[in-house]
Amino acid sequence: MKNTYAIVPAPVELLPKEGQFEWSSNTALIIEDNLIENNQNEYLAFAQTASLNGPQNEVHLHLDDNIDASEAYQLSITAKKIDLKAKTSAGLFYGIQSLRQLATKKEGHLYFPALEIKDAPRYSYRGLHLDVGRHFFPVDFIKKYIDLLAYHKMNRFHWHLTEDQGWRIEIKKYPKLAQIAAFRKETLVGHYSDQPHQFDGQRYGGFYTQEEVKEVVQYATERFVEVIPEIEMPGHSLAALAAYPELGCTPGPFEVGTKWGVVDEVYCPNEVTFQFLEDVLTEVMELFPSKYIHIGGDECPKNRWKESAFCQALIKKEGLKDEHELQSYFIKRIEKFVNSKGRDIIGWDEILEGGLAPNATVMSWRGIEGGIAAAKQGHNVIMTPTSHCYFDYYQSQAEDEPLAIGGFLPLRKVYSYEPTPEELTSEQQKYILGVQGNVWTEYIKTGDKVEYMTYPRACALAEIAWLPKEQKNYDDFVQRMRIHTDRLQDMGVNVAEHMFDAKAEIDAGNGVNISFFTEADGTNLRYTTDGAEPTLESPLYSNPLEVGASTTYKVAAFNEDEKLGRSYEVQFDWHKAAGKKIKLTTPPAEKYSAGGIHSIVNGVLGSNVRYGDAEWLGFEGKDFEAIIDLEQLDEVNKVNLRFYQGNGQWIYLPKGVQVSISSDGTNYKTIAESNAVEGEGKVVTLSLDTNGATGRYLKVKVDRYGIIPEGRQGGGHEAWLFVDEIQVY
Ligand code: ACM
């Protein structure tokens, strides 16, 4: 059976054979130690101690120069022998990870299915990042994170060590970084968009001593993971400025950040700053043997530089065009220094602005465009677009999902990512070194939650990074993940289990139909229509169901024996416009109309918690006007309109509403209006009496709020308007 070979990431070639290998006390373990730098023995600790007395079968690990790729391995398992060979120790290590995943334990013995594997990675850079600036994680957790990364054959750990809200690495020459920059006086509570901002009043912080850093680097090296430190510049440097205000463009004083976002306070490109950064990088490069040093480069507002006489004079003196070129000057100087020590820099894609430093590798995060531009200029690229690689985004739309920064990145979407852009020529494609998942921790305070956000999405990323694109197969991946999830849980990993959460899609505009699905295919979906929890006896779902009345559907995924994942409930409140056709004068914003325009008359109310679901329609700086065709002359007694209110997210209630009716679709008569849409909470319902007005076409016009007042979040911008649902009775 396929599941016997549930290796993640899947091997490139796997040939199942008959039989199995039993690892017992009579198994001889032969490791050609003299050929192997790292003691692979340690990684076989999961197996029993071998005894060389009267061996019945053997496990043989050896290097083989005939294997081409440096990280490749070949594994052959028969009843008599496990033969694992590779060109390098790294290859052997990856073979051992496959062995660990192939093992099944029965009555104290380990069994391995007979097979032949030939395996090698697609990309040389297979990375996972962790932000320890927003929240700090202890060394033991960092080691566990690295263990898991290596277990999935990833080979780069991008350690984001400095942030506005905390500097996390001891630098001997600048002791105030550990004393001052590593601690903040308090932390924002809840989401940044929640207004007004509230703080917990608790001092928070921590840093890694140089001894701890060495310990982590050593630990990672033994697992063939290169640790790439990131020292952010010129932005995201507020914590450093709090410790050493002379590094800023204004006199300060500065305070270590207590809330998220992008701040104006950045390093000033003066000689004090360059001396500081060169000193810091010198100590960093002594601690980290990595080829790459990440120097940040993202999200650096230029306001302070624009206001600074020093910066303006420097721009003139260096013949620079503007502040973007000044940032480029900054990065190039740092690159020169890093290169002089025999290392290379990586920077976020903003380092393209104002001109790339000559040898820089670009980490493309705001999309893939930065990566494409860099590759076209002959620069190496690591792909990590927010759309597919940001594991701080929500992975489920369930309302009880723990707080996250936003977005929506389910497992299936991570898996669908193809890191090498087609628009590049095959020559340019070679610059795409690989792919990385990023874990930003504004809303992640604990190691448990890091794991929840990272797994299983990092499993999908590891497979994208490893397997040739034509071999990717989501359904097969999900089947393997069923076994692999148990494994991770046995290892004490807090894996998110959304794969089998039931979901529904509602199709309206021509009646209303509901269909059910999960992120994983190949399960049975069962549902009820009376609000009860589905069981193995509930009706099996096969085709979309037609909805024509108030009904509560509850659906869940099952295998043959039990329920998997969480159930999902959809409640229809039927009304005269449900399933009818609607026309909008102006379309909603693409990113806030996931359910299509007919979601506004499908009988289902948008979430009371989040405006990003498939029910709400969002309009940016536009009035709303809809015409609903009731398909016959009808009597209308009441119209309900629902609006979302989230001033912190620039979403405002409308100024006014008018409802009119027509029998011919040409001549309309106003039947209700309101110029006072008010209410507490995130969702405000406006209920309008229309006193039995008769007609076929109903026009609903909603006047937007307009410009957000200065001093509020989004001040000076047009407010957003969010609408769902129009209920007609
Ligand atoms: C980033 O997410 N600011 C690189």
Side-chain angles (χ1 to χ4, degrees):
M1 192 176 97
K2 218 176 204 173
N3 290 348
T4 315
Y5 312 104
I7 299 172
V8 179
V12 176
E13 272 184 64
L14 188 158
L15 189 63
K17 291 271 169 82
E18 286 297 316
Q20 63 183 1
F21 181 94
E22 179 185 349
W23 194 317
S24 72
S25 55
N26 288 327
T27 294
L29 176 60
I30 305 162
I31 301 178
E32 295 182 13
D33 260 332
N34 56 330
L35 295 172
I36 298 167
E37 316 140 21
N38 283 283
N39 189 359
Q40 302 281 5
N41 209 349
E42 189 186 326
Y43 309 114
L44 290 164
F46 72 94
Q48 293 184 346
T49 319
S51 152
L52 289 172
N53 297 330
Q56 292 182 339
N57 55 15
E58 69 175 53
V59 178
H60 190 194
L61 270 61
H62 54 117
L63 296 179
D64 185 341
D65 256 349
N66 294 320
I67 294 175
D68 280 347
S70 70
E71 293 179 294
Y73 70 93
Q74 293 180 10
L75 177 62
S76 160
I77 303 178
T78 64
K80 284 277 165 217
K81 187 171 181 180
I82 292 180
D83 187 73
L84 173 58
K85 59 187 178 184
K87 190 189 190 77
T88 65
S89 301
L92 285 180
F93 179 80
Y94 294 134
I96 290 171
Q97 303 320 306
S98 292
L99 268 180
R100 286 174 71 188
Q101 296 186 6
L102 285 166
T104 49
K105 206 165 206 160
K106 236 186 291 167
E107 287 154 18
H109 284 193
L110 282 180
Y111 295 91
F112 298 84
L115 51 67
E116 297 283 337
I117 286 178
K118 279 191 183 164
D119 203 9
R122 177 179 180 195
Y123 293 107
S124 63
Y125 188 112
R126 306 180 299 279
L128 209 53
H129 146 291
L130 184 65
D131 165 19
V132 296
R134 274 55 176 264
H135 284 100
F136 178 74
F137 304 94
V139 167
D140 279 351
F141 179 77
I142 302 296
K143 287 182 177 172
K144 188 181 178 195
Y145 196 73
I146 289 168
D147 266 338
L148 286 171
L149 203 138
Y151 185 55
H152 296 93
K153 304 187 176 93
M154 288 184 272
N155 61 0
R156 299 290 192 282
F157 171 47
H158 172 173
W159 204 1
H160 183 78
L161 285 164
T162 71
E163 254 310 331
D164 294 317
Q165 299 83 7
W167 181 286
R168 304 281 174 232
I169 177 170
E170 177 192 27
I171 300 294
K172 304 271 192 206
K173 196 160 182 184
Y174 297 93
K176 284 195 276 185
L177 290 172
Q179 290 155 5
I180 295 173
F183 296 88
R184 59 182 178 250
K185 74 168 192 235
E186 59 186 0
T187 304
L188 183 74
V189 176
H191 198 277
Y192 182 83
S193 298
D194 296 342
Q195 290 287 313
H197 282 162
Q198 289 183 31
F199 296 86
D200 63 6
Q202 305 281 315
R203 182 174 150 87
Y204 180 93
F207 63 93
Y208 305 101
T209 64
Q210 295 206 346
E211 282 314 304
E212 287 173 325
V213 167
K214 283 183 205 159
E215 193 182 318
V216 167
V217 169
Q218 174 67 21
Y219 191 86
T221 306
E222 286 166 6
R223 285 152 185 80
F224 302 92
V225 172
E226 183 176 76
V227 185
I228 299 174
E230 179 178 356
I231 304 296
E232 269 268 16
M233 62 190 81
H236 288 290
S237 48
L238 181 56
L241 266 57
Y244 296 98
E246 60 272 29
L247 305 173
C249 279
T250 55
F254 306 102
E255 205 176 64
V256 178
T258 58
K259 60 183 179 190
W260 324 124
V262 174
V263 299
D264 277 345
E265 309 304 341
V266 301
Y267 289 124
C268 198
N270 57 29
E271 292 311 307
V272 182
T273 294
F274 285 114
Q275 189 61 52
F276 168 81
L277 289 172
E278 289 183 7
D279 291 341
V280 166
L281 288 170
T282 299
E283 289 192 34
V284 165
M285 286 188 276
E286 279 163 12
L287 293 167
F288 293 91
S290 57
K291 171 170 155 43
Y292 291 116
I293 303 294
H294 201 305
I295 51 76
D298 61 319
E299 298 181 324
C300 177
K302 307 295 187 292
N303 301 338
R304 292 293 174 267
W305 293 0
K306 282 185 186 149
E307 297 157 1
S308 152
F310 169 81
C311 292
Q312 294 309 312
L314 184 59
I315 286 174
K316 239 191 207 135
K317 176 170 158 238
E318 296 293 331
L320 306 172
K321 199 170 85 209
D322 56 15
E323 290 75 19
H324 290 294
E325 288 200 358
L326 183 55
Q327 163 148 340
S328 173
Y329 161 86
F330 193 120
I331 302 294
K332 282 175 184 159
R333 253 187 88 157
I334 293 293
E335 181 189 64
K336 210 164 171 183
F337 178 75
V338 171
N339 286 168
S340 78
K341 306 283 180 195
R343 313 292 186 90
D344 287 331
I345 65 160
I346 300 179
W348 299 109
D349 57 53
E350 286 94 329
I351 66 167
L352 280 149
E353 294 162 8
L356 262 185
N359 306 310
T361 293
V362 171
M363 211 168 242
S364 191
W365 74 279
R366 291 178 296 176
I368 61 169
E369 296 73 22
I372 291 169
K376 285 185 174 168
Q377 294 176 39
H379 284 253
N380 284 333
V381 171
I382 295 144
M383 284 298 195
T384 180
T386 53
S387 56
H388 294 81
C389 298
Y390 268 45
F391 300 158
D392 55 341
Y393 282 21
Y394 283 106
Q395 56 195 312
S396 158
Q397 287 177 322
E399 291 194 356
D400 59 355
E401 190 63 16
L403 184 69
I405 195 162
F408 180 49
L409 177 54
L411 185 65
R412 188 188 290 267
K413 187 166 179 191
V414 178
Y415 197 88
S416 74
Y417 184 51
E418 164 50 32
T420 299
E422 274 188 0
E423 55 262 67
L424 295 178
T425 65
S426 57
E427 224 15 72
Q428 292 163 342
Q429 287 183 350
K430 291 186 185 137
Y431 292 110
I432 310 293
L433 300 183
V435 60
Q436 175 173 291
N438 291 344
V439 184
W440 301 99
T441 59
E442 287 94 331
Y443 302 98
I444 306 179
K445 292 181 205 293
T446 64
D448 245 26
K449 194 167 172 189
V450 170
E451 291 176 1
Y452 178 84
M453 300 302 281
T454 309
Y455 289 91
R457 289 184 287 191
C459 300
L461 186 94
E463 187 146 314
I464 297 166
W466 188 271
L467 207 55
K469 102 173 157 188
E470 46 297 336
Q471 273 182 261
K472 277 176 31 176
N473 180 329
Y474 183 72
D475 293 339
D476 184 69
F477 170 72
V478 164
Q479 292 310 317
R480 280 178 283 119
M481 283 307 295
R482 293 169 78 149
I483 310 273
H484 193 64
T485 299
D486 289 343
R487 259 181 222 143
L488 291 173
Q489 283 168 339
D490 287 346
M491 292 163 81
V493 182
N494 184 29
V495 194
E497 293 187 88
H498 296 298
M499 259 186 321
F500 302 112
D501 286 357
K503 296 179 190 178
E505 193 169 279
I506 302 161
D507 181 25
N510 187 13
V512 176
N513 291 285
I514 185 166
S515 52
F516 303 131
F517 65 100
T518 62
E519 283 294 310
D521 296 337
T523 58
N524 294 324
L525 288 154
R526 296 179 182 276
Y527 68 97
T528 63
T529 52
D530 58 2
E533 195 60 33
T535 66
L536 276 166
E537 278 73 49
S538 303
L540 191 62
Y541 167 78
S542 54
N543 292 309
L545 306 166
E546 203 177 313
V547 185
S550 292
T551 313
T552 298
Y553 292 91
K554 209 157 183 178
V555 57
F558 292 80
N559 62 17
E560 298 306 316
D561 312 314
E562 58 179 355
K563 190 176 134 205
L564 310 163
R566 290 187 291 187
S567 56
Y568 188 80
E569 185 180 297
V570 186
Q571 191 182 330
F572 288 89
D573 290 317
W574 211 247
H575 56 84
K576 287 182 175 173
K580 298 298 194 296
K581 284 202 168 49
I582 189 167
K583 277 194 187 134
L584 298 185
T585 309
T586 35
E590 200 183 324
K591 63 179 173 175
Y592 293 117
S593 52
I597 63 166
H598 285 94
S599 64
I600 202 168
V601 282
N602 66 2
V604 177
L605 303 184
S607 162
N608 287 321
V609 183
R610 296 210 215 121
Y611 54 88
D613 70 5
E615 292 298 323
W616 289 101
L617 296 183
F619 300 83
E620 186 180 20
K622 283 175 191 155
D623 292 332
F624 170 91
E625 188 180 81
I627 294 171
I628 304 164
D629 180 359
L630 299 174
E631 293 170 11
Q632 61 183 29
L633 286 179
D634 211 338
E635 202 175 86
V636 176
N637 288 298
K638 193 165 79 167
V639 176
N640 290 341
L641 299 167
R642 292 173 89 238
F643 302 106
Y644 196 93
Q645 173 164 250
N647 295 359
Q649 294 114 315
W650 309 13
I651 304 169
Y652 279 68
L653 295 175
K655 281 226 162 91
V657 171
Q658 302 98 45
V659 178
S660 49
I661 201 160
S662 164
S663 298
D664 56 9
T666 309
N667 302 300
Y668 282 88
K669 175 177 82 186
T670 300
I671 54 172
E673 57 191 326
S674 168
N675 292 318
V677 186
E678 288 163 354
E680 297 288 315
K682 287 183 171 159
V683 176
V684 172
T685 302
L686 177 70
S687 199
L688 297 167
D689 284 324
T690 50
N691 305 317
T694 302
R696 172 174 168 174
Y697 302 94
L698 202 62
K699 188 190 280 185
V700 177
K701 196 168 174 318
V702 179
D703 300 326
R704 70 186 186 275
Y705 177 86
I707 305 289
I708 301 171
E710 290 298 342
R712 298 207 197 157
Q713 282 196 35
H717 291 268
E718 281 272 10
W720 283 80
L721 171 68
F722 273 77
V723 189
D724 185 79
E725 152 135 341
I726 303 177
Q727 295 174 306
V728 179
Y729 296 97

